[in-house]
Amino acid sequence: MPWQTGRVDLDSGAGLLHRLTSYVPNREWDVPGDDPRVRHDLVPNDPETRPPPMKGYSDGLPVLALPRDLPDPGVPATAVLAGVGSPAQPLDAAQLGRVLFLGAGVVRTAEHNGRRFLFRASGSAGARFPLEVYASTRGVAGVPDGVHWYDAAQHALVQVAPAATGAVTTLVVTGVPWRTGWRYAERGWRHLYWDAGTLLSQLSAVAASAGVAPRLRSLFPDAAVRELVGADGVHEHPLALLSLGDGEPAIGPTGQAVLGELPPVELPLCTAAQRAGERDGIGAPRPEAAALSDFPPSDSLDEVVRRRGSQRRMDRSRTLPRPLLEWPMAAALRGVEVPHWVAVHGVDDVAPGLYRWPDLSTPLRAADLRDELLRICLDQSLAADAAYVVIAATPLSTLDDRSYRDAQLAAGLVEGRLHLAAYALGASASGMTFLDSEVPGLLGEPDDLATLLFTCVGVSEYASRAGGGPGAPVEVRPVVPRLGGS
Ligand SMILES: Cc1cc2nc3c(=O)[nH]c(=O)nc-3n(C[C@H](O)[C@H](O)[C@H](O)COP(=O)(O)O)c2cc1C
């Protein structure tokens, strides 16, 4: 994993974006900082400028409806998360559709203020769902070789470009900065990588459960991949590749891709941060980490993914047993080098306080941290009501413009895996944002710390409705998270 390489410049690229999008206590999160390089002319959450939930394509492109019966191999979620191999299933249109749906498919819908909102199978900061997924297919039974955009609403593939060069079917995850920037402004660029990691944790797990080796690459030739899928590098950026098997990824463009339609709103700071990290070559996939020696029983991965949602309210009066901290953490951090800490509020046989994973024997601080976490997480009660809160952070000086992206993506992967592990074992979880300036003090680390992401894990206060299948999302009434201490 090449994330520990260099030094970002705090006055350009990813370093500048990180600095100018860091939350501090004396400025509201939706007020832009006092710097001309962030846009001051955009009104966050303006209903008039709300971007559509997906990319648009004009009629006339070849469309392939994917089978709506998903072939569930019935593998326990915990086995997949532990890294235990699964029997191979044929990679046909139905299995490819299962992988895409259980990562990016529409599983729930909700109505709010007369508008319909689509919720996908994996979470997204603020439910902005700013990602697109393309499949560059090679030899998938029932799917012509080509570059296809996944239409998550219709559970269909829309062919946007001719077949690529390369041998192995590869999913390309892209991000649309404005779709999340509409609410979070330039900080949304960080969210693209958090959300992509979260999505890729599910895409990878679902592929692995079908006996297909998921090979995740965060280093790839950006310009070629942009050309491959028709991402213009301003309104849409390629974020990561997931090949479905070993071998040379099918990512060499052989013709013009259809660009598709996105609102023409640019966040120049995001464009510059993305550009600064662009490279020409392709990296090795993330190395396969050793499997865990044991895994507890659980429902199948497919059932757990359907059940997953972000818990909006946790019951702070109830604790989790110690194995529900140890096992999800061990599974979520398999092969991940980004440092993690755990703030324990209510875990049996673990004293409340702050720990540097994997050492749970000696707290860095033995204390009730609920009030501190509440303050650092912008008064969001989940951070105080959780049984424990997982914190990913790394010194900024260890990152360059590319490995900064990798670190954010890795934090998202951990967040997504923690979710699946928690739901597999009867607990619940939610991603969580934070006041950057306050985290070094919490962790006792120098100020040069890039805080990446928080994940809350705890006991749910209510039962969520499982999501629906392709073309049949379940209608839900959104539960609003609490603000302030409970
Ligand atoms: C990276 C990430 C960060 C998140 N941050 C927060 C947060 O700060 N506060 C919160 O209440 N929920 C947070 N969430 C949960 C999202 O609001 C949730 O995923 C979204 O509403 C979609 O709902 P679902 O996860 O139930 O499908 C976060 C989720 C992700 C993936």
Side-chain angles (χ1 to χ4, degrees), residues 402-430:
R402 186 62 175 221
S403 53
Y404 177 88
R405 298 190 199 173
D406 298 337
Q408 298 285 8
L409 189 89
L413 268 180
V414 171
E415 194 267 348
R417 291 174 180 175
L418 276 171
H419 251 93
L420 294 178
Y423 280 84
L425 300 178
S428 69
S430 175

Side-chain angles (χ1 to χ4, degrees), residues 119 123-127 194-195 308-310 312 380 415 430-433:
F119 287 82
S124 159
W194 297 351
D195 283 5
R308 188 214 68 81
S310 293
R312 307 292 67 209
Q380 301 185 75
E415 194 267 348
S430 175
M432 178 57 53
T433 201

